Amino acid sequence: MPHTYIERIGSHVGEQVTIKGWLHNRRSSGKIHFLVVRDGTGFIQVVMGKSDVGEEVFRRADHLGQETSLIVTGIVRADARAPGGYELTASNLDVVGVAHDYPITPKEHGVDYLMDRRHLWIRAERQAAILRVRHEVINAVRDFFNADGFILADTPIFTPAACEGTTTLFPVPYFEDTTAYLTQSGQLYNEANAMALGKVYCFGPTFRAEKSKTRRHLTEFWMVEPEMAYADLGDVILLAERLVSAVVARVLDRRATELKVLERDTSKLDHVHPPFPRLHYDEAAKILIEKGRPFEVGGDLGGTDETVLSEQFDRPVCVTHYPAAVKAFYMKPDPEQTDRALCVDVLAPEGYGEIIGGGQRLDDYELLVRRINEHNLPPEAFEWYLDLRRYGTVPHGGFGMGIERAVAWICGLEHVRETIPYPRMLYRLYP
Ligand code: 4AD
Ligand code: MG
């Protein structure tokens, strides 16, 4: 009997099929078992009548525990009242692996309890839906850049120095007497790659030893980072809004089922089209003060500031020209206002805050040397990076988009910890 995935069951109405999955739920009424079975692609109710399968098979299903793995054969019936629109009338059932006392039941569990059992929790309908959206987001990102002529060029994970500030580095012993650091961002290598290939992107895990326990921070997260030679801040913003719009449109188009499971109000995502509003840092500061935030002009935006700002708009907002002092060493200063950086943070609406950070890079050799010193970075580790300014420097720029933050926003989640199979956080390294 050919094996059918539940997501394809609709093309087998009236036929006999076999599904291989796990028992999600069971109720019985004397002569009929109702078994809700999941196989990773969907859920289906299996109706097993004693008269159809016989005494022996019927008894097999009498005491099955949640998450027992099983193989069921039966006829597919269309039923508008059934959750997925179909039911299976069983003719046989085989138990593959029994499960007793599955620790995650339909009752409410605390989040720490669930996080300790993350390897099982991902079987839950909501969690599986989020991971499918994540998959779609990642593929939408790849397809977007590939179709746009960007070359995927991988950047290293072991690196000799900081990219995003020395306070959030994870050191790793690297043979006898060297310390490597897990990458915070592929950007510096991306810049070199852009000089070689024009338009590039890297896409991989990045690491920040961030001691912040917020709903937006992981210590290991995935970031996609495009970089373009011969590009200015305006080009970077145009690319960012096109990318975000393309990703949202793709998820709306292909993951409607998952968004429904997540009870996402998708009307909030319908507005996500270019152009996104642009907000100069000074205007952002004005709004925050008007809203009564205790905001110090000249400082960075905190999480709550971002939330307040992003709530003002129905689509992502691009905040530009932050004070150079609060941004990374590699940012190009605005020639019109040299204490400002030619940078952009894209804040997602509904209070989600920053999902993208980027801008135009410092392309001037002398100034870059000065910045490396001002930031107390080890100059010898940046010799290769300075070469990019020694040999044919050009205006260039790019950005990084955090996948987990983007997924949390698109799914409408409280916390980024549910957007990655195994989140790594300040107090979470298990399982
Ligand atoms: O703003 P960030 O730090 O920018 C960079 O790393 C640049 N070098 C990127 C570039 O220009 N190529 O990080 C970029 C994005 C943030 O907007 C956020 O979405 C995500 O990465 N991010 C995090 N996501 C989860 N947990 C954390 N601790 C994150 N830190 C940054
Ligand atoms: Mg940032």
Side-chain angles (χ1 to χ4, degrees), residues 327 345 354 356-357:
K327 288 290 183 185
D345 276 9
E354 180 191 342
I356 283 181

Side-chain angles (χ1 to χ4, degrees), residues 248 252 265-273 314-315 350:
V248 168
L252 286 174
D265 176 0
T266 54
S267 70
K268 296 258 167 54
L269 296 172
D270 289 338
H271 310 283
V272 183
H273 297 291
D314 70 348
R315 66 196 71 196
E350 300 173 72

Side-chain angles (χ1 to χ4, degrees), residues 307-326:
T307 299
V308 168
L309 282 178
S310 62
E311 278 169 348
Q312 313 301 311
F313 303 93
D314 70 348
R315 66 196 71 196
V317 53
C318 304
V319 183
T320 62
H321 300 89
Y322 286 65
V326 303

Side-chain angles (χ1 to χ4, degrees), residues 163-164 184-188 190 202 206-208 210 212 216-227 327-328 330-331 344-346 354-359 361 397-406 416:
C163 175
E164 294 298 324
Q184 299 168 309
S185 158
Q187 180 196 317
L188 307 185
N190 252 353
C202 64
T206 47
F207 305 86
R208 306 269 170 103
E210 237 152 348
S212 21
R216 297 177 187 168
H217 286 90
L218 297 169
T219 55
E220 175 180 315
F221 61 97
W222 283 67
M223 181 156 56
V224 61
E225 298 179 82
E227 190 74 26
K327 288 290 183 185
Y330 52 70
M331 300 246 178
V344 59
D345 276 9
V346 179
E354 180 191 342
I355 53 168
I356 283 181
R361 320 305 187 188
F399 61 81
M401 180 172 85
I403 292 303
E404 291 75 18
R405 297 233 188 129
V416 289

